Amino acid sequence: MKINPVLHRILLMSSGIWQRGKEEEGVYGFLIEDIRKEVNRASKLKCCICKKTGASIGCVAPRCKRSYHFPCGLQRECIFQFTGNFASFCWNHRPVQIITSNNYRDSLPCTICLEYIEPIPTYSILRSPCCKNAWFHRDCLQVQAINAGVFFFRCTICNNSDIFQKEMLRMGIHIPEKDASWELEENAYQELLQHYEHCDVRRCRCKEGRDYNAPDSKWEIKRCQCCGSSGTHLACSSLRSWEQNWECLECRGILYNSEDFQKAKKHTLPNTNNVGITDCLLEESSPKLPRQSPGAQHKDLLRQGSKFRRDISTIIMELGFQIKKKAKRLWINKANIWNSALDGFRNQNFNPSYTIEVAYVNENDNFGREHPGSKQEFLSLLMQHLENSPIFEGSLSKNLSLNSQALKENLYYEAGKILAISLVHGGPSPGFFSKTLFNCLVYGPENTQPILDDVSDFDVAQMIIRVNTATTVADLNSIVNECYNYLELIGCLRLITSISDKYMLAKDILVYHVIKRVQAPFESFLAGLKTLGVLEKIQTYPEAFYSIFCHKPENLSAEILSDLFTVRTLSNVQSLGFWNSYLQAVEDGKSAVTMEDILIFATGCNSIPPAGFKPTPSIECLHMDFPVGNKCNNCLALPITNTYQEFQENMDFAIKNTLRLEKEESTHYIGH
């Protein structure tokens, strides 16, 4: 039986219950009758934070009578020690870190996330007990502890585990007794078991090809003694035997420039065939370095390889740690979703780090009623509007447009801000950015070269094509004379002396139209995207964000939806079988609805957000004729029918007509 981990922690921390059974008995060793007694005891105790009953956890400090719920305690910054007797301390009696003197005048970086913090021990800021200059965010430590487990959780500076773990447990960091998450992935390091067998020298002399390897012959492949990731046939590098040392060009360059080699020079390097030593160096630079010369930053990020390659869902989850428990309600009119969202986000009391609650209202409703709404549905509708708004131009891959009214109303900033808020709060993938626009965000406009597909203006695109296809100087001058006023206006007018000048002219027009023309909108959009630190993450992990900014999510399938929805309660086995058959029928095109329709009906979203759904989508079977979708809870209630045909007909009818009515209602209100 799978138990919610939060429930397990509540049982561990509750003051009136002990594990009297074995691990497999009851709930993690807590017997059912003991749990009932503890529930009865807690029902008489009132939480000193939320004032509701059921507060099973008490502060262990002598004469302290505070009791509270586990979530309330976390919110009020109580400390729970997941070791020993599993003690809990209220905010007045919690353990603190004491430092003899504070000689830190400046901020120091958290050694996990590298964001600067004030080096003062608080609930949210902790110091390493073994390295006095190592400071951490509590949230960063907790995430690392959960991922690393008890076997790999240690100080990030000195690698100490015993002293470090003891102090972190005292300060309330939960260290699960499990292997590290990266060790649990099946075949995660399979490639490390494979020998590198490829000849990388400039001129391979083996007729069988670079991958040919014949042991105990001149065609045996020898790997670089330094890195092991480059190779050569013995004959291709004039090696007499396999025992003879050999370094690849990259490692040879590093060795040559090392201080030890310059001082000692114990052996002579072989001829490098005039290859520049500096071209071989593979130096890694920080992803937060200031911009360098054109193209240099792009190359640096590529050199870093998998060092900064992160899963997008993990990155967004980490961004989500900024979200506070305090909620801010937004009143949203579905018929005018953009303006009502702007009103909410521009409200002086709105804080992007507050939890967002959505209530749908209808301005045509004379009674002023409001209905609870799904946050993820709201963000999905908002992203659809943003994609089709006049601040972007293009068909599928879009760039920023130049819209004077939007610029005047500061809508480019609001668009960047809304996009950042949507991602952090669990919204959908944008998926409509052009590669050029994305590169401008990451590497800067000055390091980005647009392409002809980025030009949405037909006349400008035709002008560039005519310039590129001109065959004589006379033809090129004719085009320049014809477009003289426009070229002069945009600063691209140039003297044509040879036919090769057409390439620079076409490039100038292209760069102006796609990049320079929209400089003001871009800078405003960039400023909005800095909200909640999203832009910094994009520039740090461009590969991860490229997948969600420039590509639509993968198409839904029966298998994906089947895995996505969990069974909420003990359900009708026959209806669950009908559900799986129905998904397969929809995928095979034997239904009037699509996979996206089913997901919209249940959650309000037509794709799975990068960070997943909260709460997790679920299904339950109820005695009724038609299905019901609860978008606030992401719950789909399936009808219990006698035959599969009846099940499919009822599902098709309800989903198809519900979505049609919602669309008509929205269109009707917009028309008024």
Side-chain angles (χ1 to χ4, degrees):
M1 180 173 63
K2 187 176 181 181
I3 304 298
N4 189 316
V6 176
L7 174 60
H8 183 210
R9 294 173 192 174
I10 293 173
L11 289 172
L12 289 172
M13 289 298 162
S14 294
S15 304
I17 189 171
W18 293 266
Q19 285 177 297
R20 297 195 301 118
K22 297 180 180 179
E23 192 71 19
E24 63 274 8
E25 291 184 275
V27 180
Y28 288 112
F30 293 95
L31 303 181
I32 300 301
E33 60 265 28
D34 291 344
I35 295 176
R36 290 197 179 101
K37 290 179 182 178
E38 179 63 5
V39 170
N40 183 55
R41 185 189 74 87
S43 65
K44 304 171 186 176
L45 299 174
K46 185 178 292 186
C47 175
C48 64
I49 299 170
C50 71
K51 309 304 179 185
K52 296 180 181 178
T53 57
S56 62
I57 304 173
C59 177
V60 299
R63 289 183 292 219
C64 181
K65 298 182 180 180
R66 289 192 178 94
S67 296
Y68 35 82
H69 302 106
F70 183 72
C72 295
L74 289 176
Q75 183 180 355
R76 194 64 174 81
E77 299 184 350
C78 298
I79 279 185
F80 303 94
Q81 294 180 343
F82 293 91
T83 184
N85 293 325
F86 293 92
S88 169
F89 299 87
C90 70
W91 53 94
N92 280 344
H93 301 113
R94 68 189 180 206
V96 295
Q97 290 186 310
I98 300 176
I99 58 176
T100 55
S101 61
N102 189 353
N103 297 322
Y104 306 103
R105 297 181 180 178
D106 301 321
S107 299
L108 294 175
C110 166
T111 60
I112 297 177
C113 73
L114 303 182
E115 291 184 0
Y116 279 86
I117 54 180
E118 292 298 321
I120 301 173
T122 63
Y123 175 81
S124 303
I125 306 297
L126 300 177
R127 189 179 72 160
S128 172
C130 41
C131 295
K132 306 307 180 185
N133 289 329
W135 295 80
F136 313 90
H137 291 107
R138 174 180 288 272
D139 290 341
C140 293
L141 275 173
Q142 187 59 76
V143 171
Q144 180 166 314
I146 290 174
N147 285 323
V150 69
F151 302 110
F152 290 91
F153 183 56
R154 56 195 65 186
C155 177
T156 55
I157 304 298
C158 69
N159 230 20
N160 179 284
S161 60
D162 295 336
I163 299 175
F164 186 75
Q165 286 192 16
K166 185 177 180 181
E167 174 66 4
M168 293 305 116
L169 286 169
R170 185 181 78 89
M171 296 306 298
I173 299 298
H174 174 47
I175 310 174
E177 292 187 14
K178 69 177 186 67
D179 209 344
S181 56
W182 57 85
E183 295 287 345
L184 301 177
E185 184 180 346
E186 188 176 358
N187 298 324
Y189 305 102
Q190 191 67 27
E191 67 275 8
L192 298 181
L193 303 178
Q194 300 175 0
H195 292 296
Y196 187 85
E197 295 183 351
H198 183 81
C199 181
D200 296 296
V201 298
R202 285 189 172 185
R203 294 181 181 178
C204 178
R205 294 187 286 177
C206 181
K207 295 181 179 180
E208 301 295 330
R210 291 182 177 272
D211 294 324
Y212 180 71
N213 183 26
D216 301 322
S217 73
K218 66 178 181 179
W219 302 121
E220 181 175 3
I221 289 181
K222 166 78 174 178
R223 289 180 293 278
C224 173
Q225 66 173 356
C226 296
C227 68
S229 59
S230 293
T232 177
H233 290 114
L234 298 181
C236 295
S237 293
S238 302
L239 300 177
R240 295 181 180 180
S241 67
W242 192 86
E243 288 82 8
Q244 192 173 346
N245 290 334
W246 177 81
E247 304 97 6
C248 63
L249 287 177
E250 286 80 3
C251 294
R252 191 179 306 161
I254 295 172
L255 288 171
Y256 180 82
N257 283 287
S258 66
E259 291 184 7
D260 292 339
F261 182 87
Q262 294 294 339
K263 291 178 181 179
K265 292 191 176 180
K266 293 182 179 179
H267 62 275
T268 304
L269 288 173
N271 189 349
T272 59
N273 295 327
N274 296 323
V275 175
I277 292 297
T278 55
D279 293 337
C280 301
L281 298 178
L282 299 178
E283 297 178 357
E284 291 183 347
S285 58
S286 167
K288 295 184 180 180
L289 285 177
R291 291 196 183 120
Q292 305 159 356
S293 58
Q297 187 183 23
H298 187 199
K299 292 178 182 177
D300 282 343
L301 286 168
L302 291 177
R303 286 172 183 163
Q304 291 160 6
S306 60
K307 181 176 181 180
F308 296 108
R309 191 173 295 127
R310 298 279 303 281
D311 180 70
I312 186 63
S313 60
T314 304
I315 298 171
I316 293 179
M317 181 188 74
E318 291 173 356
L319 284 169
F321 290 147
Q322 303 173 79
I323 301 175
K324 299 178 174 63
K325 297 282 186 181
K326 186 174 182 179
K328 172 63 179 177
R329 174 163 293 191
L330 299 179
W331 284 270
I332 302 300
N333 179 6
K334 271 191 177 182
N336 194 4
I337 194 163
W338 175 253
N339 288 328
S340 54
L342 277 182
D343 290 341
F345 291 141
R346 285 173 168 173
N347 189 296
Q348 61 179 359
N349 294 323
F350 178 77
N351 187 327
S353 63
Y354 287 171
T355 298
I356 293 177
E357 292 181 353
V358 175
Y360 288 133
V361 295
N362 182 358
E363 58 187 20
N364 295 323
D365 187 349
N366 296 326
F367 297 99
R369 289 169 293 192
E370 60 182 55
H371 308 281
S374 161
K375 177 182 69 174
Q376 288 185 306
E377 178 193 29
F378 159 64
L379 294 175
S380 181
L381 294 173
L382 194 57
M383 202 53 55
Q384 291 174 29
H385 179 93
L386 191 62
E387 180 178 358
N388 299 308
S389 70
I391 67 174
F392 290 98
E393 62 183 19
S395 52
L396 298 177
S397 297
K398 296 179 181 290
N399 291 291
L400 289 174
S401 66
L402 180 59
N403 188 303
S404 58
Q405 187 63 29
L407 200 57
K408 182 179 179 181
E409 297 177 6
N410 205 24
L411 294 185
Y412 291 99
Y413 171 82
E414 297 295 344
K417 176 182 174 181
I418 287 172
L419 183 56
I421 291 173
S422 175
L423 283 174
V424 177
H425 285 266
S429 307
F432 59 85
F433 278 43
S434 71
K435 186 176 181 179
T436 298
L437 176 55
F438 183 78
N439 285 340
C440 286
L441 296 176
V442 177
Y443 311 115
E446 68 275 13
N447 295 325
T448 302
Q449 180 58 49
I451 59 176
L452 186 61
D453 289 343
D454 294 320
V455 180
S456 59
D457 188 300
F458 179 78
D459 294 332
V460 175
Q462 288 299 308
M463 182 195 308
I464 296 173
I465 293 173
R466 288 178 61 196
V467 169
N468 273 325
T469 55
T471 55
T472 65
V473 174
D475 289 341
L476 193 55
N477 275 316
S478 176
I479 299 170
V480 171
N481 291 332
E482 184 180 332
C483 307
Y484 185 92
N485 291 334
Y486 175 75
L487 294 176
E488 184 181 33
L489 178 66
I490 66 175
C492 294
L493 192 62
R494 61 172 49 244
L495 180 65
I496 304 298
T497 58
S498 67
I499 191 63
S500 60
D501 290 340
K502 68 178 183 178
Y503 301 113
M504 189 57 68
L505 177 60
K507 180 181 178 181
D508 288 347
I509 299 172
L510 191 59
V511 169
Y512 169 79
H513 186 81
V514 179
I515 294 179
K516 292 182 178 180
R517 181 177 63 99
V518 294
Q519 182 178 353
F522 176 78
E523 290 176 353
S524 182
F525 181 76
L526 204 66
L529 205 54
K530 291 179 181 178
T531 304
L532 296 173
V534 171
L535 178 63
E536 183 181 3
K537 288 291 186 183
I538 294 172
Q539 293 174 341
T540 305
Y541 307 108
E543 289 186 5
F545 281 93
Y546 178 78
S547 63
I548 65 169
F549 270 75
C550 301
H551 294 287
K552 291 293 185 182
E554 64 176 326
N555 293 329
L556 298 173
S557 65
E559 182 180 2
I560 291 175
L561 280 193
S562 180
D563 293 340
L564 179 65
F565 286 87
T566 60
V567 180
R568 190 171 185 178
T569 57
L570 188 62
S571 299
N572 185 280
V573 176
Q574 185 181 37
S575 293
L576 292 179
F578 288 167
W579 162 250
N580 289 322
S581 299
Y582 179 67
L583 290 178
Q584 194 59 53
V586 173
E587 183 176 356
D588 295 340
K590 299 177 181 178
S591 169
V593 302
T594 64
M595 292 291 179
E596 288 71 22
D597 291 339
I598 298 175
L599 194 61
I600 295 172
F601 182 77
T603 68
C605 303
N606 60 6
S607 63
I608 302 174
F613 284 102
K614 291 181 182 180
T616 302
S618 60
I619 54 174
E620 58 182 349
C621 302
L622 300 177
H623 289 280
M624 54 187 183
D625 295 330
F626 297 99
V628 175
N630 187 336
K631 297 175 182 177
C632 294
N633 296 326
N634 296 330
C635 181
L636 175 60
L638 302 176
I640 296 178
T641 59
N642 294 323
T643 65
Y644 170 73
Q645 182 178 356
E646 183 183 359
F647 181 89
Q648 178 170 346
E649 288 176 352
N650 291 358
M651 291 288 290
D652 284 352
F653 178 83
I655 295 174
K656 183 179 179 181
N657 285 284
T658 299
L659 298 184
R660 179 181 58 82
L661 289 172
E662 286 181 353
K663 187 175 181 180
E664 288 179 356
E665 184 181 31
S666 177
T667 306
H668 172 74
Y669 289 136
I670 292 173
H672 283 70

